[in-house]
Amino acid sequence: MDNNVKTDISEDQRFKGICGLIHNFAVAFKIGILILLVVLFLINLTDTLSVIYMSDIFKAAFILYYSAVFFIVAGYVEQIFGRLRKAETPFMYDIADKMKGLGYVLGSGGIIGGAAFSIFQLFIEDLSDEWFEFSLIAGFVLMVVGLIVTAFALIFEHGCKLQRESDETL
């Protein structure tokens, strides 16, 4: 019987360790995005003193938009896994709400980005078709990932309800 308790504690520690690792990765990712944005800003600042092409503005806007989306995503991941590593149970409503927010950011970020950059591409003549395809693919992938995360959030929310009912019956 002691082996089962020891195994449960070990699995719990591994779960919290992985949650802590993902939390730290999200923090590092946010810092990396901020550094990338500063570097890109400084590079583009020097380029603005020369001739500016619409395709360069498009590419900068594309990178800025998706960097902002991923910065917000990293913030949600940081909050979710920061909470999970400290929680007694993963089935908590605030975690499910953060997961839904993450899904909504990914889904709407993909839809808005894919649509906007596809429309912008129609008005920019010196931009290759590869950017059009890439913006559609990026938007579609983010939308699908957002839908999957939202579905998991709803499953998590149902788990929260079952956890609460279980706690109330005890």
Side-chain angles (χ1 to χ4, degrees):
M1 186 169 264
D2 288 340
N3 288 340
N4 289 340
V5 173
K6 187 175 182 181
T7 302
D8 290 341
I9 293 171
S10 176
E11 288 176 10
D12 186 49
Q13 289 173 342
R14 280 195 309 243
F15 174 73
K16 290 181 186 275
I18 289 172
C19 290
L21 184 67
I22 295 171
H23 174 266
N24 294 338
F25 174 75
V27 171
F29 188 71
K30 281 175 50 177
I31 293 169
I33 288 177
L34 285 176
I35 292 170
L36 174 70
L37 289 175
V38 168
V39 169
L40 288 174
F41 176 75
L42 293 175
I43 290 171
N44 286 326
L45 184 63
T46 59
D47 288 344
T48 56
L49 301 175
S50 63
V51 178
I52 299 175
Y53 295 103
M54 285 301 292
S55 61
D56 294 335
I57 294 172
F58 175 87
K59 292 172 186 176
F62 184 86
I63 291 169
L64 179 65
Y65 174 78
Y66 282 111
S67 294
V69 169
F70 285 121
F71 184 81
I72 294 168
V73 165
Y76 273 106
V77 171
E78 176 187 1
Q79 291 175 3
I80 291 167
F81 286 96
R83 182 78 169 111
L84 278 173
R85 73 180 179 168
K86 296 176 184 173
E88 293 290 323
T89 177
F91 295 108
M92 300 173 60
Y93 283 106
D94 63 328
I95 293 173
D97 290 341
K98 287 178 179 70
M99 288 177 70
K100 276 195 277 189
L102 174 62
Y104 296 155
V105 167
L106 285 167
S108 62
I111 291 170
I112 293 168
F117 288 111
S118 296
I119 292 170
F120 292 157
Q121 195 272 342
L122 296 174
F123 299 106
I124 301 172
E125 295 166 3
D126 61 336
L127 193 65
S128 69
D129 288 339
E130 294 158 354
W131 275 95
F132 176 71
E133 293 167 3
F134 185 70
S135 65
L136 281 178
I137 291 170
F140 180 75
V141 167
L142 281 180
M143 180 192 67
V144 169
V145 170
L147 289 172
I148 292 169
V149 170
T150 302
F152 277 113
L154 294 174
I155 292 168
F156 239 73
E157 195 171 61
H158 184 69
C160 294
K161 179 182 173 190
L162 294 175
Q163 179 77 39
R164 187 186 62 202
E165 288 175 2
S166 174
D167 291 345
E168 288 174 357
T169 57
L170 295 176

